[in-house]
Amino acid sequence: VDFFFFGNGSKSRANNVNMMITEPSRILRYKFIVSGRDFDTNLGNAMVIPPVPFVEWRRYCCRAKVNLNVVREEHAKIFATSTFRPFELAAMKCCIVSAPYNGIEKWFEVGKEILVGNSMKECLEIYQTLIDDEELRMKIGMAALNRVKKEHTSRHRARQIIDIINRCKT
């Protein structure tokens, strides 16, 4: 698998699906796989598979060269709206290419730990670079994993909640 995306629903992702999957899969001769429910949009030459069971999801993510974070447009517009996908993929040491996402730089260093395609042309360039450079893919995946371990575990969130509660007491 060259590129993998798992998600449910295409309506609120239509522009990003087109930019990251539909058009690139028509232009590039790589294997794009999409899994999930409610994809009622044209996915170009991407192969659509039934929803991957949760117990199999990690296997699919880890066997893909690149995982796509095709953001819902309402999440992308609100600064630092929290979605799990970049953290989940990073925790599995996946190389991630994301749609533009207002605030993603709060969580990951763009260009080092995650790549962001702002247009179909940028996605094509990023995809070609990543397919051609396994070492770069591994380096990005490892950097993302290290960032998650350093700043984004459940323990980190629990400490933040405790700190907020303690500040509210004073």
Side-chain angles (χ1 to χ4, degrees):
V1 176
D2 296 310
F3 300 93
F4 179 64
F5 172 69
F6 176 84
N8 294 311
S10 60
K11 287 181 185 170
S12 62
R13 305 175 206 263
N15 292 330
N16 288 333
V17 166
N18 188 58
M19 174 183 75
M20 297 184 76
I21 298 171
T22 307
E23 293 306 318
S25 74
R26 287 183 177 138
I27 295 167
L28 301 172
R29 298 291 176 222
Y30 299 120
K31 190 172 188 176
F32 286 77
I33 293 185
V34 174
S35 178
R37 293 177 181 80
D38 301 325
F39 277 91
D40 55 359
T41 189
N42 185 332
L43 294 171
N45 292 329
M47 179 187 306
V48 180
I49 62 173
V52 174
F54 187 70
V55 296
E56 293 291 317
W57 184 62
R58 177 180 167 82
R59 186 171 65 86
Y60 274 84
C61 292
C62 291
R63 79 181 228 210
K65 292 176 183 169
V66 177
N67 281 265
L68 303 176
N69 182 40
V70 184
V71 182
R72 293 179 186 276
E73 286 149 22
E74 64 269 18
H75 289 175
K77 292 176 185 174
I78 299 171
F79 181 76
T81 298
S82 181
T83 62
F84 291 106
R85 190 56 40 88
F87 302 103
E88 294 168 329
L89 293 172
M92 292 185 279
K93 200 167 60 170
C94 295
C95 179
I96 309 163
V97 176
S98 181
Y101 199 127
N102 188 3
I104 197 165
E105 69 281 353
K106 276 190 75 76
W107 302 311
F108 295 98
E109 185 178 336
V110 175
K112 180 181 175 188
E113 299 161 340
I114 192 168
L115 301 176
V116 175
N118 293 291
S119 67
M120 196 239 330
K121 183 178 184 234
E122 277 187 29
C123 286
L124 291 171
E125 291 169 1
I126 291 168
Y127 294 173
Q128 191 63 58
T129 297
L130 291 173
I131 290 298
D132 291 344
D133 194 340
E134 180 180 3
E135 186 177 330
L136 177 61
R137 291 193 313 267
M138 298 299 122
K139 186 176 178 181
I140 291 169
M142 181 57 76
L145 173 62
N146 288 338
R147 180 67 175 260
V148 165
K149 287 179 175 180
K150 182 180 175 189
E151 297 181 18
H152 301 302
T153 65
S154 298
R155 184 170 296 211
H156 290 106
R157 295 296 89 82
R159 285 185 193 137
Q160 287 177 325
I161 291 169
I162 291 168
D163 288 346
I164 291 167
I165 292 169
N166 287 335
R167 284 195 308 267
C168 290
K169 288 180 181 179
T170 58

